[in-house]
Amino acid sequence: MLKFVSLLLALSFCQGLQHNNIDDYVEAEPVFEASKYGSLWPLPQKVQISEVSFKLTSSSFRIVDAKASSAGPSCSLLQSAYRRYYEYMFGSAKKQWWSKNNRRSDPSDLSELQVWITSPDSECDGYPSVTSDESYELTVNQPVAVLKAPKVWGALHGRIYTRFELNFCPPTLHLFQKSINAAIINDFPRFQHRGILLDSSRHFLPIKVILANLETMAMNKFNVFHWHIVDDQSFPYLSRTFPQLSEQGAYHPYTHVYTPADVKMVIEFARLRGIRVIPEFDTPGHTQSWGKGQKDLLTPCYSGSKPSGSFGPVNPILNTTYDFMAQFFTEISTVFPDGYVHLGGDEVDFTCWKSNPDIQKFMEQQHFGDDYRKLESFYIQKLLDIVTSTKKGYLIWQEVFDNGVKLKPDTVVHVWIGGGSDKEMSSVTAAGYTTILSAPWYLDYISYGQDWQKYYKVEPLNFEGTDEQKKLVIGGEACLWGEYVDATNLTPRLWPRASAVAERLWSAKDVTDIGDAFNRLSLHRCRMVERGIPAEPLFSSYCPHEYKGV
Amino acid sequence: MLKFVSLLLALSFCQGLQHNNIDDYVEAEPVFEASKYGSLWPLPQKVQISEVSFKLTSSSFRIVDAKASSAGPSCSLLQSAYRRYYEYMFGSAKKQWWSKNNRRSDPSDLSELQVWITSPDSECDGYPSVTSDESCEYLPFLVHVMFYGGIQSGLETFSQLVFEDEYGAKSINAAIINDFPRFQHRGILLDSSRHFLPIKVILANLETMAMNKFNVFHWHIVDDQSFPYLSRTFPQLSEQGAYHPYTHVYTPADVKMVIEFARLRGIRVIPEFDTPGHTQSWGKGQKDLLTPCYSGSKPSGSFGPVNPILNTTYDFMAQFFTEISTVFPDGYVHLGGDEVDFTCWKSNPDIQKFMEQQHFGDDYRKLESFYIQKLLDIVTSTKKGYLIWQEVFDNGVKLKPDTVVHVWIGGGSDKEMSSVTAAGYTTILSAPWYLDYISYGQDWQKYYKVEPLNFEGTDEQKKLVIGGEACLWGEYVDATNLTPRLWPRASAVAERLWSAKDVTDIGDAFNRLSLHRCRMVERGIPAEPLFSSYCPHEYKGV
């Protein structure tokens, strides 16, 4: 490994004497130093960075398709990625004009980045999937750098990190000159499923917020947007088949809904960044908002011998329920191209079912005794059959597995319950199911200080089980439930805390040096800020370009 | 009290079943209902709202000076306030054009808000001070105000009474409001040293402070981490001590702008220059200001607090605070004085010698007091009063009678309030309002439930409590997250400091605060949500 010589972004951390903190909050205070890996985040699997560096000139530097590449100029996915990263590196057109007029290119410059898709099928017009090949190889050398990837998905992850040099130009104009070190990077993700859950039901999230976070996910090599789109509080999904669901169930039928065009835009925006969109339609619990637009869908609760006027989970004993679900999930299967749908199935409260005499009768008929988990399983089983018939796979929250529902072998069990999640991972994988982990990564729970370290220190395979079992863990998700976040505070609350999860899911298992992570993540967060994302600070510090918004 | 009939802003709170929360975080969940006080925040002292309502038409509605008012059109402070509140109520010019073309005024409309400054001296061109009269009386068709401080509050209250009906027309209920603050000093501390805060962020928060009737911006402008204040007398302080000498400093023009922006909103700007501790960044530009620490018999290369044994120190401070006294018009400066670490002083042989000469023995608190005493004399000579953190009082430094002691240490702050006031000093409270400490859930309720006078003491002592401040220290906040972290959590403190002592109904507060936070969002401030809910106009930024 060659020595890394330059600080990627000027940034300093002071002796952070905390003011007025005499209680037990004080932690060991971080001191910023340059990492030998600069600002790379998440850390690639294999990195060699040399001391040799090249200049990049915005007026002459180009990102081009390599001759042998299977993807050409017609691959709009790559073309938009080229533009995006060109702008990240050199700023907007206006900024480029300045540098164009102030510096000419030089033979020792790095003039080109060639992007070479090696597999005959580039998957350029496809959607990313759980089996997408995301590996890439990046060689930075003079005069051209080469980014080699079997599929476009890997090419999206390979990016060149430029370093900044401050040139003092007469009379007082500051120009940032970009440079890059020679490097060889060979990279692939440790886990295939690296997700972020956003909740657009407890608070409506304007499309702009969702897109900004997809953009940031791509900067952190996340590849799954788990869209918890509806819940008890509101139903913002505008269904073509059942428009009354959002008409009655959204916070507002026009201003607080996602139209089919909105959903399409989110999916395409995500696709261009190699991100899958997995919608969650959680049933039979968490469905209060569904009941507003869909009569008889929910179970009427009883108070004594009379309906109380309130409603419980989806009514599992009516045929109309299953007719509705069949139509609804048929629509979902066409609107969302991903191979998987998240079906929820968590936290079903049995109180209402217990109160309802019709349900009681049904329980007797089915010989379920007093075990309402059997009734829940009865419902879920039918739902899974319906969704299977739409040719989709499914993810479900862990309770569905715990309750012994019969699952297809390719079901993904989502482990979320904190305390005992190791045991749960053991039993889920022992039963042969693939699984993703979220229990340690509930980012809506905030606390004072650098909680990213807690998320960073998690080791997802740290449970008892055979190697075969460990292979069934395909990844994890950082969850930001929506009780306390909306457009005003979501983005800074999520980033860079979720970046800690990003590295855990992408980088090699032995990448655990918390000091080095602090140094790289500090620079990575300033990079996000410079790209217009209000990612909050790790600790007392500054970025060369502070956030411009409020 | 007449019955209040209409909801001021549409807003709903659902049965907030929390998803996936099985641990002990779950609280009793709030259910939104309309308060009889609508969206008023902080709650005025006396409110009568009638069922009768009037329409307001943007094309004909005017805010005008009352004939008998002592302030006229030449009072630019009032004129800018009129414009600001007109825009809050009716939106931007573009929006107004639409309504102009869509609705004509009607005789039953409310056509005018008269602003009447009753005192002969309107203080229009002055600065707000700790004694500013902020009382105001509000009647339908008329705001009747005494002195300026009250105008800001009166207009804010008026705008809070305006609501939008289902067709988007603005209406207001007939009402009589008689209002004044419970405490005179209602502050927000922002820290621009641990993270540099761009001017835009500071101004946005001053704007929001005005919406919440805060009247003191405590600007913790420098600290160990950086020195962004550009001093005319000692420019090397920020050249060497700021995070960056050009992009991360406050120029004299910036500071002026902040002060004027605040003045127009009835907000005092009190800068804090904390010494002798918390001064690492000062040492970068000012040689010999800080104490050299020793490791054994040799200087270790690191530095401690301000060096209290050199005359040059006091010469520097005299020049520096003379500048400060002219740059900042407020009658008070905050001098800090907290958390002085004695380790470095103890290591330094010159300091040890000085301690002997002065017969201080081993009591370094005496040395600290020696320094502070000299500093206070210097600042007094610049004709300023001062605020200091509680340690200065605790260490027995002789203070001027008008000194304000700032109580911040959590745990035992009631006792501290007792002893400070028993000694006859005025005091402000911050201990329960450290808003940089975040936790999951509705922590605003904790801030709201604080009663500042809940300590043992005589009525005379209680009168010495002139207010409090919500502090947002800067370790974990910068331009990216400051505003949503501060609001509406600081709004809870705002009501505690403004409204009557018996305004403590947490359910009613939740209902009003929910609407108030949506109002802040509608005015472009990213104030975070209290709980699952929505606003008719969600935040437009990212």
Side-chain angles (χ1 to χ4, degrees):
Chain A
M1 184 76 62
L2 294 166
K3 209 183 130 206
F4 181 82
V5 284
S6 55
L7 218 172
L8 289 219
L9 282 163
L11 190 137
S12 99
F13 280 79
C14 294
Q15 297 148 287
L17 307 185
Q18 285 200 327
H19 184 99
N20 284 2
N21 291 356
I22 51 157
D23 36 33
D24 56 356
Y25 289 108
V26 182
E27 314 171 357
E29 280 164 13
V31 176
F32 177 80
E33 288 168 24
S35 161
K36 66 177 173 177
Y37 298 116
S39 68
L40 290 173
W41 193 281
L43 193 67
Q45 300 285 346
K46 288 175 206 158
V47 191
Q48 292 178 36
I49 301 177
S50 125
E51 290 189 34
V52 179
S53 77
F54 314 109
K55 295 247 180 302
L56 275 78
T57 310
S58 66
S59 56
S60 59
F61 182 75
R62 292 288 176 272
I63 307 177
V64 298
D65 301 307
K67 277 193 188 146
S69 177
S70 63
S74 67
C75 178
S76 66
L77 182 143
L78 282 185
Q79 299 303 322
S80 19
Y82 297 170
R83 183 179 58 192
R84 201 160 65 243
Y85 279 93
Y86 184 87
E87 285 181 359
Y88 282 160
M89 290 185 289
F90 300 110
S92 62
K94 199 179 159 192
K95 240 167 126 187
Q96 290 162 35
W97 181 85
W98 275 103
S99 49
K100 204 182 281 185
N101 284 273
N102 280 285
R103 187 167 177 280
R104 275 176 301 183
S105 65
D106 195 278
S108 74
D109 279 7
L110 179 66
S111 63
E112 229 175 62
L113 170 65
Q114 292 185 0
V115 178
W116 181 2
I117 308 297
T118 55
S119 159
D121 177 11
S122 68
E123 296 185 3
C124 187
D125 298 313
Y127 287 93
S129 76
V130 69
T131 56
S132 289
D133 186 339
E134 296 179 290
S135 66
Y136 67 94
E137 248 180 79
L138 176 63
T139 314
V140 178
N141 214 329
Q142 199 265 332
V144 294
V146 178
L147 171 56
K148 232 164 106 175
K151 307 284 183 184
V152 290
W153 315 117
L156 290 175
H157 293 308
R159 58 198 63 150
I160 58 181
Y161 290 86
T162 55
R163 109 183 126 93
F164 292 87
E165 279 181 351
L166 188 63
N167 282 3
F168 201 76
C169 292
T172 54
L173 180 69
H174 286 80
L175 273 180
F176 285 96
Q177 183 80 58
K178 315 291 188 196
S179 295
I180 187 165
N181 286 74
I184 300 172
I185 289 173
N186 210 309
D187 203 10
F188 52 88
R190 181 175 173 211
F191 293 103
Q192 300 118 274
H193 186 115
R194 305 178 307 281
I196 294 282
L197 177 149
L198 297 183
D199 168 0
S200 60
S201 171
R202 291 178 176 83
H203 285 100
F204 179 76
L205 301 176
I207 288 292
K208 199 175 160 184
V209 173
I210 293 178
L211 300 187
N213 280 282
L214 287 167
E215 185 90 46
T216 319
M217 284 170 66
M219 297 176 198
N220 288 275
K221 296 188 168 67
F222 277 105
N223 68 351
V224 175
F225 170 35
H226 175 166
W227 194 352
H228 188 85
I229 190 166
V230 301
D231 205 297
D232 283 319
Q233 286 78 3
S234 76
F235 196 103
Y237 173 75
L238 199 163
S239 159
R240 287 177 211 252
T241 324
F242 301 102
Q244 70 276 19
L245 287 170
S246 61
E247 261 163 36
Q248 304 296 323
Y251 279 133
H252 187 284
Y254 308 124
T255 60
H256 289 64
V257 296
Y258 301 108
T259 64
D262 291 339
V263 172
K264 234 180 185 164
M265 199 207 300
V266 167
I267 293 168
E268 180 63 7
F269 193 93
R271 185 186 82 85
L272 291 175
R273 285 152 184 81
I275 297 170
R276 303 162 58 197
V277 178
I278 299 182
E280 176 181 352
F281 290 92
D282 190 357
T283 64
H286 289 283
T287 47
Q288 290 293 311
S289 70
W290 301 50
K292 296 186 183 168
Q294 191 63 19
K295 236 190 123 221
D296 297 336
L297 181 64
L298 304 185
T299 309
C301 313
Y302 277 66
S303 166
S305 62
K306 280 177 191 162
S308 70
S310 66
F311 293 88
V314 165
N315 193 333
I317 67 169
L318 300 180
N319 287 332
T320 51
T321 293
Y322 301 102
D323 294 344
F324 167 82
M325 291 295 170
Q327 281 190 69
F328 185 77
F329 280 100
T330 301
E331 173 183 325
I332 296 310
S333 74
T334 59
V335 169
F336 292 91
D338 197 79
Y340 283 78
V341 180
H342 201 302
L343 298 175
D346 59 320
E347 297 184 317
V348 182
D349 182 357
F350 298 143
T351 326
C352 183
W353 279 351
K354 283 180 187 165
S355 78
N356 182 305
D358 297 329
I359 302 258
Q360 290 162 9
K361 215 175 292 165
F362 186 81
M363 293 282 287
E364 277 172 38
Q365 286 167 6
Q366 299 284 331
H367 309 294
F368 288 166
D370 280 342
D371 189 354
Y372 284 83
R373 296 195 312 169
K374 286 186 180 158
L375 180 60
E376 185 187 344
S377 296
F378 172 86
Y379 167 79
I380 295 268
Q381 197 66 67
K382 295 190 79 135
L383 179 70
L384 297 188
D385 292 345
I386 287 168
V387 173
T388 303
S389 75
T390 69
K391 307 270 191 305
K392 295 283 184 188
Y394 38 75
L395 296 88
I396 39 91
W397 295 110
Q398 68 180 71
E399 287 99 317
V400 177
F401 166 80
D402 297 347
N403 289 346
V405 176
K406 208 183 92 199
L407 300 165
K408 280 195 301 179
D410 65 343
T411 301
V412 180
V413 179
H414 198 162
V415 174
W416 68 271
I417 299 182
S421 65
D422 288 351
K423 252 194 189 154
E424 182 77 6
M425 297 289 279
S426 286
S427 26
V428 169
T429 52
Y433 293 109
T434 46
T435 181
I436 56 173
L437 180 66
S438 279
W441 294 318
Y442 265 38
L443 271 55
D444 49 322
Y445 293 146
I446 53 169
S447 57
Y448 184 74
Q450 298 201 39
D451 57 359
W452 69 271
Q453 301 190 358
K454 189 173 68 186
Y455 307 131
Y456 191 77
K457 285 174 185 161
V458 171
E459 170 45 52
L461 302 189
N462 207 4
F463 61 87
E464 272 185 54
T466 62
D467 287 357
E468 284 311 303
Q469 278 176 266
K470 309 265 164 128
K471 278 184 195 150
L472 291 168
V473 181
I474 58 167
E477 291 183 2
C479 299
L480 191 67
W481 295 102
E483 283 85 354
Y484 298 103
V485 290
D486 69 1
T488 62
N489 62 347
L490 186 145
T491 309
R493 184 156 298 180
L494 187 55
W495 309 102
R497 295 163 75 229
S499 303
V501 182
E503 177 149 303
R504 183 54 52 238
L505 293 174
W506 178 280
S507 304
K509 186 174 180 172
D510 61 359
V511 178
T512 53
D513 180 338
I514 202 98
D516 189 65
F518 176 81
N519 297 332
R520 286 182 293 111
L521 187 53
S522 298
L523 298 170
H524 181 56
R525 113 77 195 178
C526 282
R527 179 168 44 224
M528 291 191 276
V529 168
E530 201 179 345
R531 293 176 181 178
I533 302 300
E536 66 178 24
L538 297 179
F539 193 61
S540 303
S541 65
Y542 81 105
C543 295
H545 303 274
E546 300 289 356
Y547 183 62
K548 295 284 180 275
V550 164
Chain B
M1 182 74 64
L2 294 165
K3 206 185 131 205
F4 181 82
V5 283
S6 56
L7 217 170
L8 289 221
L9 282 164
L11 189 135
S12 102
F13 281 80
C14 293
Q15 297 148 287
L17 307 185
Q18 286 199 327
H19 183 100
N20 284 0
N21 292 357
I22 51 156
D23 37 34
D24 56 357
Y25 289 108
V26 181
E27 313 171 358
E29 280 164 12
V31 176
F32 178 80
E33 285 169 26
S35 160
K36 65 178 174 176
Y37 298 116
S39 68
L40 289 173
W41 193 278
L43 194 67
Q45 300 285 345
K46 288 176 205 158
V47 190
Q48 292 179 36
I49 301 177
S50 124
E51 290 188 35
V52 179
S53 77
F54 313 108
K55 292 252 177 301
L56 276 79
T57 310
S58 65
S59 56
S60 59
F61 181 77
R62 291 289 175 270
I63 307 176
V64 299
D65 301 307
K67 275 189 188 147
S69 177
S70 63
S74 66
C75 179
S76 67
L77 185 143
L78 281 185
Q79 300 303 322
S80 22
Y82 298 170
R83 182 178 59 191
R84 198 161 66 247
Y85 279 95
Y86 184 87
E87 285 183 357
Y88 282 161
M89 289 184 286
F90 300 110
S92 62
K94 200 181 158 192
K95 241 167 124 186
Q96 290 162 37
W97 182 86
W98 277 102
S99 48
K100 203 183 280 185
N101 285 274
N102 281 286
R103 187 166 178 281
R104 275 176 301 183
S105 64
D106 195 277
S108 74
D109 279 7
L110 178 65
S111 62
E112 231 175 57
L113 169 66
Q114 292 185 1
V115 177
W116 184 1
I117 311 290
T118 56
S119 159
D121 177 7
S122 67
E123 295 186 2
C124 189
D125 298 315
Y127 287 93
S129 76
V130 69
T131 58
S132 289
D133 188 339
E134 295 178 284
S135 64
C136 73
E137 203 180 306
Y138 159 80
L139 302 150
F141 303 97
L142 186 74
V143 167
H144 162 110
V145 183
M146 300 177 55
F147 299 95
Y148 173 64
I151 279 288
Q152 171 62 45
S153 302
L155 287 171
E156 177 62 38
T157 304
F158 181 85
S159 74
Q160 291 189 2
L161 286 167
V162 174
F163 62 95
E164 203 169 82
D165 69 17
E166 55 193 305
Y167 305 105
K170 309 285 180 176
S171 297
I172 187 166
N173 285 75
I176 300 173
I177 289 174
N178 209 308
D179 203 10
F180 53 87
R182 181 177 172 208
F183 294 104
Q184 300 120 273
H185 185 115
R186 304 178 307 282
I188 294 282
L189 177 150
L190 297 184
D191 168 1
S192 60
S193 171
R194 290 177 177 83
H195 286 100
F196 179 77
L197 301 176
I199 287 293
K200 197 174 161 186
V201 172
I202 294 179
L203 300 187
N205 281 282
L206 286 168
E207 186 89 50
T208 319
M209 284 170 66
M211 296 176 199
N212 289 275
K213 299 188 167 71
F214 276 106
N215 68 349
V216 176
F217 170 35
H218 175 166
W219 194 352
H220 188 84
I221 190 167
V222 300
D223 206 297
D224 283 318
Q225 285 78 3
S226 76
F227 196 102
Y229 173 75
L230 199 164
S231 160
R232 286 176 213 254
T233 323
F234 302 101
Q236 69 275 20
L237 287 171
S238 61
E239 262 162 35
Q240 303 296 324
Y243 279 133
H244 187 284
Y246 308 123
T247 59
H248 289 65
V249 297
Y250 302 107
T251 66
D254 290 339
V255 172
K256 235 181 186 164
M257 199 205 302
V258 167
I259 293 168
E260 179 64 7
F261 193 94
R263 185 184 80 87
L264 292 174
R265 286 154 184 81
I267 297 171
R268 303 163 57 199
V269 177
I270 300 182
E272 177 181 352
F273 290 93
D274 190 356
T275 64
H278 289 281
T279 47
Q280 290 294 310
S281 70
W282 301 51
K284 295 186 183 167
Q286 190 63 18
K287 237 190 122 222
D288 297 336
L289 181 65
L290 303 187
T291 309
C293 313
Y294 277 66
S295 167
S297 61
K298 281 177 189 161
S300 69
S302 66
F303 293 87
V306 165
N307 192 333
I309 66 168
L310 300 180
N311 287 333
T312 51
T313 293
Y314 301 102
D315 295 344
F316 168 82
M317 290 295 171
Q319 282 190 69
F320 185 77
F321 279 101
T322 302
E323 172 183 324
I324 297 309
S325 74
T326 59
V327 170
F328 292 91
D330 197 79
Y332 283 79
V333 180
H334 201 302
L335 298 175
D338 59 322
E339 296 184 318
V340 183
D341 183 357
F342 298 144
T343 325
C344 182
W345 279 351
K346 283 180 188 166
S347 77
N348 182 304
D350 298 330
I351 302 258
Q352 290 162 10
K353 216 175 291 165
F354 186 82
M355 293 282 288
E356 275 171 40
Q357 286 166 8
Q358 299 284 331
H359 307 296
F360 287 166
D362 280 341
D363 190 354
Y364 284 83
R365 296 196 314 169
K366 286 187 179 157
L367 181 60
E368 183 185 345
S369 297
F370 171 87
Y371 166 80
I372 295 268
Q373 198 66 67
K374 296 191 79 136
L375 179 70
L376 297 188
D377 292 345
I378 287 168
V379 173
T380 303
S381 75
T382 69
K383 307 272 192 302
K384 294 284 183 186
Y386 38 74
L387 297 89
I388 39 89
W389 294 111
Q390 68 179 71
E391 286 99 317
V392 178
F393 166 80
D394 296 346
N395 290 346
V397 176
K398 210 182 90 198
L399 300 165
K400 282 194 301 179
D402 65 342
T403 301
V404 180
V405 179
H406 198 162
V407 174
W408 68 270
I409 299 182
S413 66
D414 288 352
K415 252 193 189 155
E416 181 77 7
M417 297 289 280
S418 287
S419 25
V420 170
T421 52
Y425 293 108
T426 46
T427 180
I428 56 173
L429 180 65
S430 279
W433 293 317
Y434 264 39
L435 271 54
D436 49 323
Y437 292 145
I438 53 169
S439 57
Y440 184 76
Q442 299 201 39
D443 57 359
W444 69 271
Q445 301 191 357
K446 190 173 67 186
Y447 308 131
Y448 191 79
K449 286 174 183 161
V450 172
E451 170 45 52
L453 302 188
N454 207 6
F455 62 86
E456 271 185 55
T458 63
D459 286 357
E460 285 311 303
Q461 277 176 267
K462 309 264 164 130
K463 277 184 195 150
L464 291 168
V465 181
I466 58 165
E469 290 184 359
C471 299
L472 191 65
W473 295 102
E475 284 85 353
Y476 298 104
V477 290
D478 70 0
T480 62
N481 62 347
L482 185 146
T483 309
R485 184 157 297 180
L486 187 55
W487 309 103
R489 294 162 74 228
S491 303
V493 183
E495 178 149 305
R496 182 54 51 236
L497 293 173
W498 178 281
S499 304
K501 187 173 179 172
D502 62 358
V503 178
T504 53
D505 180 339
I506 201 98
D508 188 64
F510 176 81
N511 298 332
R512 286 182 293 112
L513 188 53
S514 298
L515 298 170
H516 181 56
R517 112 75 196 179
C518 281
R519 179 168 45 230
M520 292 191 274
V521 169
E522 201 178 343
R523 292 175 182 182
I525 303 300
E528 66 179 24
L530 297 179
F531 193 61
S532 303
S533 64
Y534 82 104
C535 295
H537 303 274
E538 300 289 357
Y539 183 62
K540 294 282 182 275
V542 163

